[in-house]
Amino acid sequence: MRLLKKDIQSIIPILLYFGSMILLIEWIIPLEKVTDTGETQAFILYIVLCFILTASFLPNWVSSPLKLLGMFFVIDQLFISESFMTKGWFSSLLADIKVNFSAVLSQQWFDLTPLFRTFLFLILLWMMSYLLYYWFVVRKKPLSFILITF
């Protein structure tokens, strides 16, 4: 009986964490209607990937490269025509990032390319998956995120 109670107490934060994933996806769905963002399915799949890797309790040296690989895959599917992870693919990506960093440094926000905006958005989603894990599982304080969602 005591073991069962402890198992339930360890499962509840993970269930709440996956509930927060659903709330975050709820934030993504209206992007197609509110902005010129398309392909929200790719963002939703990336969110699911990040949440599963975070909840799997893999060490960061394993999960972080997998999340980065997922980010590169989303960017490849949406923007880059070169073969995935080839020299031409990396040169195309780095050239785009270089152009956009100069735009950021000169504060020309409207000159950012869609690839770079997507890259920044995917980094934000990666951070949100960790922050939600921290709020829901580690700190056990889900109320703030739930209130923000409403």
Side-chain angles (χ1 to χ4, degrees):
M1 178 71 178
R2 188 173 179 98
L3 183 63
L4 182 63
K5 185 177 181 182
K6 188 170 185 155
D7 288 341
I8 290 173
Q9 286 178 343
S10 65
I11 291 173
I12 289 175
I14 297 297
L15 291 176
L16 285 172
Y17 178 60
F18 281 106
S20 72
M21 177 183 71
I22 292 169
L23 288 176
L24 184 60
I25 289 171
E26 190 70 29
W27 287 17
I28 300 299
I29 291 171
L31 283 180
E32 285 184 358
K33 294 180 175 94
V34 177
T35 66
D36 63 343
T37 303
E39 303 295 330
T40 56
Q41 304 89 343
F43 298 129
I44 291 171
L45 288 174
Y46 185 70
I47 289 171
V48 170
L49 172 74
C50 287
F51 273 74
I52 289 172
L53 287 174
T54 301
S56 66
F57 301 112
L58 291 171
N60 281 336
W61 64 271
V62 174
S63 65
S64 293
L66 290 174
K67 291 176 186 178
L68 187 64
L69 187 65
M71 183 186 309
F72 286 157
F73 185 74
V74 169
I75 289 173
D76 175 66
Q77 293 300 309
L78 296 178
F79 298 106
I80 301 178
S81 61
E82 303 283 333
S83 296
F84 186 56
M85 300 295 258
T86 60
K87 186 177 181 181
W89 187 89
F90 278 109
S91 65
S92 175
L93 179 67
L94 290 175
D96 192 82
I97 289 174
K98 185 178 177 183
V99 166
N100 285 288
F101 267 122
S102 65
V104 167
L105 292 175
S106 63
Q107 297 180 359
Q108 301 296 322
W109 308 116
F110 294 107
D111 292 341
L112 297 178
T113 63
L115 185 148
F116 192 71
R117 287 184 286 157
T118 301
F119 178 70
L120 293 176
F121 188 61
L122 290 171
I123 290 173
L124 174 73
L125 293 175
W126 182 346
M127 291 186 332
M128 283 298 296
S129 74
Y130 172 74
L131 287 173
L132 290 173
Y133 174 79
Y134 182 75
W135 287 339
F136 280 65
V137 177
V138 176
R139 294 286 312 249
K140 296 178 177 70
K141 306 257 184 202
L143 187 62
S144 59
F145 183 72
I146 294 169
L147 288 175
I148 291 170
T149 301
F150 284 122

